[in-house]
Structure formats: structure tokens, C-alpha cells
Amino acid sequence: MKIITIKIVSAISVLITALSISSCNNAKKIETELYAMNTIIKLSFYKEDGSQLVSEEINRIEKLLSVTDTESDVGQINCSGGQGVSVSKDTIKVLNTAKNIYNDTNGCFDPSVYPVVRLWGFTTDEYKVPDDNEIDALVPYVDYSRVRIDGSSVIVPKGMQLDLGGIAKGYAGERCRDILVKNGITSAVLSIGGNVQTVGLKPDGSRWKIGLKNPDGGENLCSIEVGECAVVTSGGYERYFEKDGKVYHHIIDPKTGKPASGGYKSVTVICQNGAQADALSTAFFVGGEKLIGEYLKNHKNVNVILYTDNNEFYISRAIEDSITFQTGKGQMLHYID
Ligand code: AMP
Ligand code: MG
């Protein structure tokens, strides 16, 4: 069996490396790399350096939301055996945002997919293609509507378990932005895996140009100009394995228990709220054009760039003028709203 993974060897705690300090338009640029939340985090600061603040906050959130840490809030919930568990305010906030996105996406975003994600080996890197009967035995336990949130207490029915991996990085991004702003840091870009969070504007007051990765490698697909917001991408290429020439990726359709196969390479969501953008990008990868079109009708502040297996783009009209396509891309352009 041929296994290919792009996962990076994990580190126990967040490491900070000051990569470079350069000067651009008279503004000092400080670039830093961390490893946390199972991914590489790249930080760029243009005035004051806020990497210590970001590192501390990401460490704090990882300790609450990590699915592999039995001491975390999520770890405690997952071994509660159906009993109520008291958790932090952050965890409640993330669980409630997840509930809203679950409801608004017909369950395409469902954190209770964890038993299935684990069966495929995506949390342990011990990948396998499960038998259909193994999957079918777990799918009935995937139902976030059965999770009760009451004050600071969470009740997850016996047999069910949660994984906030589809929303936690976006939440971390928005929390870091709040902390940086509170500390007077007004110009930064945080890239947490596929989750970009900008803080303020560039030092000269202009908007940021955020590059979108090409799932097939090479030059970026396109770039988008944005102010302060979250730009979050989900794609099968971020974590996958191959068996017998077939690719199996980490975004699971909660209804089938199998990797979602809507025909998309990546989905990018652009909006003000990081947790919302993160959960939506995962849900939209599962639900595709129909779900996205319906969601956008009622959420005018959310914009999308969908890139299909046929190299076609479906975008929100509102962001058309903010996108610059890589040469040779962008001819196959459609509107999604
Ligand atoms: P993302 O990279 O944000 O799209 O999140 C993908 C991660 O979220 C996976 O690695 C799983 O841990 C988890 N996940 C997979 N499928 C789903 C789903 N349908 N709803 C919620 N979380 C999911
Ligand atoms: Mg996500």
C-alpha cells in the first residue's frame, strides 16, 4: 500500500523562529514561524512584533480544543460516556458557532464526525480504507443535533465524540486578531495552516493581497485583496493518503462517512469571523455549489472562491474585482450567487 501524506512531523510545543526582519516602504517587516495545532503557522508583522502574544494564545486554545489531548476540553468531552462536562467559555463559543453552521449547512459541517475521521486514521496517521460495514456502524453516531449545550456544560450522548479540527484554527485566528488589536498591534497577517487572518491594513493603509494555494502545486491559483478579515481554504490536498491509485482525503461527508466527493479541489471562504469562515469552508467542500448558493442568499457578508476538479472557478460576484488570477487561470469563471 502506497501512503502519501503531507503532514509535518509534530512538535510538542510551539516553537518560535524569527525568520527575517526586513524593511519595506519604511515599515519594518518581521516574519516568524511556529508549529502548533498540528500545522505550520506563519506570522508577518509590519510595525510591532506580536509573535509572543500569538504563540501564547494559540497554545492556550490548543490546550482546550485538541482532540488528541485527553486533558483538553474536547478530550474530556470525548471520554465523558454521555455525562455532562463543564468546559471553558472559549469551548462553549466554538461549540455554539459549530451548532449554527451545522444548522445552516444541512449538517454538512458536523463536529461529531470524529469516530469516522478516526476510523480512516486521519487523527493518528495510521491510514486505512475501512470496510463499508465498519463505516455504516459509526454513521448513526454522527449527529450534532443530539449534542446539548447548557450554560458551561456540554452533554454528548454515549458513543458520540467531537472533533473541532474543522473550526479551531479559524477560531484561533480571530482570537489572536482580538488580542493583537487590544495590544495596539495594527498591521499583521497570520496564516494558520489554510487559515489566513489579517489584522488592520498594510502600513501604507492599502489592502492585503492574499495568495490562494494551487491544490496541484506550483504558482498560486490567484490572489485576493482584502481588508481586515479571515480568508480560509479547505481542500482534500491538505491531508490525504493514496491506496491502490485512489486518493482518500480528510474531509468527510457526515451522511456517508466517506471522503466528500463533490468534484472540488478547494473552497475558500472570505468573511469577518474566523471560526465561521473555517467551519463554512469545510461544510462547503462537502455541500458544493447548491449549498453555497443557498447560504450566500441569506449571508451577504460571506464570499466564496470555489475551485473544481475541472479547474473551473465559481466565485461571489462581490469579490470579482478583488481577485487577480494566475496567468492561464480564471478563463473558466462562473458566479455562484
Ligand atoms: P478543514 O481543514 O478546516 O476543512 O477541516 C478538516 C478537518 O475537520 C478534518 O481533518 C477533520 O478533523 C474534521 N472534519 C472532517 N470532515 C468534517 C465535517 N464534515 N464536518 C466537521 N469537521 C470535519
Ligand atoms: Mg474548516
Side-chain angles (χ1 to χ4, degrees):
M1 170 165 136
K2 190 176 162 204
I3 302 253
I4 296 181
T5 174
I6 56 152
K7 198 171 163 253
I8 318 295
V9 179
S10 85
I12 290 157
S13 60
V14 173
L15 296 171
I16 299 186
T17 327
L19 287 182
S20 67
I21 299 176
S22 59
S23 186
C24 162
N25 296 338
N26 295 326
K28 189 174 64 168
K29 181 178 178 187
I30 304 158
E31 292 186 303
T32 303
E33 231 173 65
L34 327 174
Y35 188 90
M37 301 186 91
N38 221 5
T39 194
I40 291 178
I41 298 170
K42 293 183 178 174
L43 312 175
S44 304
F45 294 96
Y46 290 79
K47 293 178 188 164
E48 310 83 354
D49 179 10
S51 47
Q52 193 58 41
L53 291 168
V54 169
S55 167
E56 282 165 14
E57 183 61 5
I58 286 184
N59 251 332
R60 190 183 71 81
I61 290 167
E62 186 172 20
K63 283 205 178 95
L64 296 175
L65 303 184
S66 168
V67 74
T68 51
D69 176 359
T70 50
E71 302 284 303
S72 74
D73 280 354
V74 172
Q76 296 286 309
I77 290 169
N78 285 350
C79 50
S80 65
Q83 299 298 308
V85 178
S86 182
V87 295
S88 67
K89 278 188 185 149
D90 291 88
T91 305
I92 293 292
K93 200 169 170 212
V94 175
L95 291 172
N96 277 323
T97 304
K99 198 78 154 175
N100 290 336
I101 307 290
Y102 167 85
N103 289 332
D104 291 346
T105 63
N106 306 323
C108 286
F109 183 77
D110 189 331
S112 70
V113 78
Y114 182 50
V116 180
V117 171
R118 202 180 41 203
L119 178 67
W120 284 88
F122 284 113
T123 39
T124 54
D125 291 350
E126 287 165 17
Y127 303 117
K128 72 162 189 175
V129 180
D131 291 337
D132 279 354
N133 53 11
E134 287 180 284
I135 296 172
D136 293 347
L138 292 181
V139 167
Y141 293 98
V142 181
D143 183 357
Y144 197 56
S145 68
R146 296 177 61 207
V147 171
R148 295 272 159 265
I149 304 164
D150 184 9
S152 65
S153 175
V154 186
I155 304 170
V156 174
K158 210 171 171 188
M160 289 178 63
Q161 291 188 319
L162 304 183
D163 170 9
L164 298 174
I167 186 171
K169 294 187 195 83
Y171 180 68
E174 77 178 62
R175 278 293 311 158
C176 290
R177 175 206 57 201
D178 291 349
I179 283 172
L180 291 171
V181 168
K182 219 170 166 182
N183 282 272
I185 293 175
T186 53
S187 195
V189 179
L190 322 175
S191 174
I192 308 174
N195 294 246
V196 174
Q197 172 71 56
T198 62
V199 180
L201 294 169
K202 280 160 86 172
D204 65 3
S206 63
R207 296 196 300 166
W208 304 101
K209 216 170 187 183
I210 306 299
L212 263 54
K213 213 167 162 179
N214 187 342
D216 300 319
E219 236 185 287
N220 283 339
L221 272 189
C222 61
S223 63
I224 174 147
E225 276 192 58
V226 295
E228 183 175 274
C229 69
V231 180
V232 178
T233 301
S234 283
Y237 67 95
E238 287 178 329
R239 185 157 300 176
Y240 62 90
F241 67 95
E242 254 184 59
K243 191 186 173 199
D244 301 334
K246 208 170 163 213
V247 172
Y248 299 90
H249 62 71
H250 67 137
I251 303 176
I252 302 293
D253 182 338
K255 295 181 182 70
T256 63
K258 295 181 179 170
S261 56
Y264 311 114
K265 287 183 184 169
S266 68
V267 183
T268 300
V269 174
I270 301 121
C271 71
Q272 289 302 309
N273 181 289
Q276 182 189 10
D278 192 0
L280 281 178
S281 67
T282 310
F284 288 169
F285 190 89
V286 175
E289 293 137 78
K290 193 164 176 283
L291 171 69
I292 301 172
E294 274 162 21
Y295 188 91
L296 295 187
K297 264 187 221 155
N298 304 316
H299 299 86
K300 297 287 177 206
N301 53 348
V302 173
N303 289 300
V304 173
I305 302 173
L306 177 65
Y307 186 54
T308 72
D309 284 348
N310 300 327
N311 304 333
E312 296 184 34
F313 286 92
Y314 287 79
I315 65 163
S316 307
R317 281 173 202 274
I319 54 171
E320 184 176 10
D321 293 340
S322 308
I323 304 176
T324 308
F325 289 97
Q326 179 202 314
T327 323
K329 299 274 179 197
Q331 292 95 339
M332 309 276 266
L333 188 61
H334 313 272
Y335 297 112
I336 201 152
D337 55 359

